Amino acid sequence: MDQVPLLERGEVHIGIRHDQGINPWFDSLSLPPDDVLAAYHPPLHLGRGGMVDIVSLAPHPLLLPDSGYSIRRLFNAACRVADVEPNILLESRAPHTLLALAEAGQGIAIIPSVLRTDRYRLKVARVTHRRKPLRDRYVIQWDKRRPMPSYAQNFCAALGAYMRDVLPITRPSSR
């Protein structure tokens, strides 16, 4: 949300963020979505088919990003909708700390799919509610009341193509 005033004041040409809804002054380019994932110690068995429902996940010790992360806000909203109280063991601004603790068997890390997990020995599952994945849409936004420089237009096109090729970075485990 910090990007909105910067875009409105013309201090930045573009913002790359999770879509926060309709702003009549902004135009946007949609990017691939960001899924909420659960990363956990391999001996633990959660969910089926690479998916775990938030209701079955909530009683476990959870390692969560702090409330500044949109993935956390999405997770909290899903908990409210599912009427569950998550068992929060730790909150951190450092996602790799959450992954290291999950690898050590200390809990289940809730992470975005844009985060690399290949350095860790973890299983990964997509977090769902009623079989629907929890995901947030990424967008590139700009204030359409201001002219966009050609270098910014070219950057948006190149970034959009690149992100469609590489995202999601982390996918649910196949094992």
Side-chain angles (χ1 to χ4, degrees):
M1 292 305 293
D2 295 342
Q3 292 179 19
V4 172
L6 296 173
L7 287 165
E8 289 175 337
R9 290 191 303 262
E11 294 178 34
V12 297
H13 293 297
I14 61 170
I16 303 165
R17 60 199 203 98
H18 285 103
D19 192 5
Q20 302 295 317
I22 304 298
N23 182 318
W25 307 116
F26 292 170
D27 208 349
S28 61
L29 171 67
S30 291
L31 299 171
D34 190 14
D35 287 340
V36 178
L37 302 176
Y40 53 95
H41 195 56
L44 188 60
H45 296 287
L46 291 175
R48 291 189 336 213
M51 297 193 299
V52 60
D53 191 86
I54 198 161
V55 173
S56 63
L57 188 63
H60 293 276
L62 298 176
L63 308 164
L64 297 172
D66 78 9
S67 60
Y69 284 83
S70 60
I71 288 297
R72 172 64 185 275
R73 291 190 298 271
L74 183 60
F75 182 83
N76 288 348
C79 286
R80 284 190 301 274
V81 169
D83 197 28
V84 295
E85 186 70 32
N87 177 17
I88 301 170
L89 178 66
L90 177 79
E91 298 179 53
S92 176
R93 288 222 34 93
H96 290 284
T97 299
L98 302 176
L99 292 171
L101 288 167
E103 184 179 40
Q106 298 301 308
I108 299 168
I110 303 301
I111 59 165
S113 61
V114 296
L115 185 64
R116 286 185 62 183
T117 60
D118 57 342
R119 293 176 234 156
Y120 302 91
R121 289 187 328 265
L122 293 166
K123 283 187 179 179
V124 176
R126 186 174 285 118
V127 179
T128 63
H129 176 58
R130 295 185 180 161
R131 291 187 276 234
K132 292 185 180 176
L134 302 183
R135 62 174 41 133
D136 214 351
R137 190 171 68 126
Y138 269 120
V139 292
I140 302 174
Q141 290 186 318
W142 58 91
D143 189 331
K144 61 186 175 185
R145 298 172 293 180
R146 291 183 176 78
M148 174 120 61
S150 60
Y151 66 84
Q153 292 173 14
N154 294 339
F155 173 78
C156 290
L159 179 64
Y162 176 74
M163 288 182 77
R164 281 186 281 283
D165 282 346
V166 301
L167 292 181
I169 292 172
T170 296
R171 298 174 192 270
S173 302
S174 57
R175 40 188 160 103

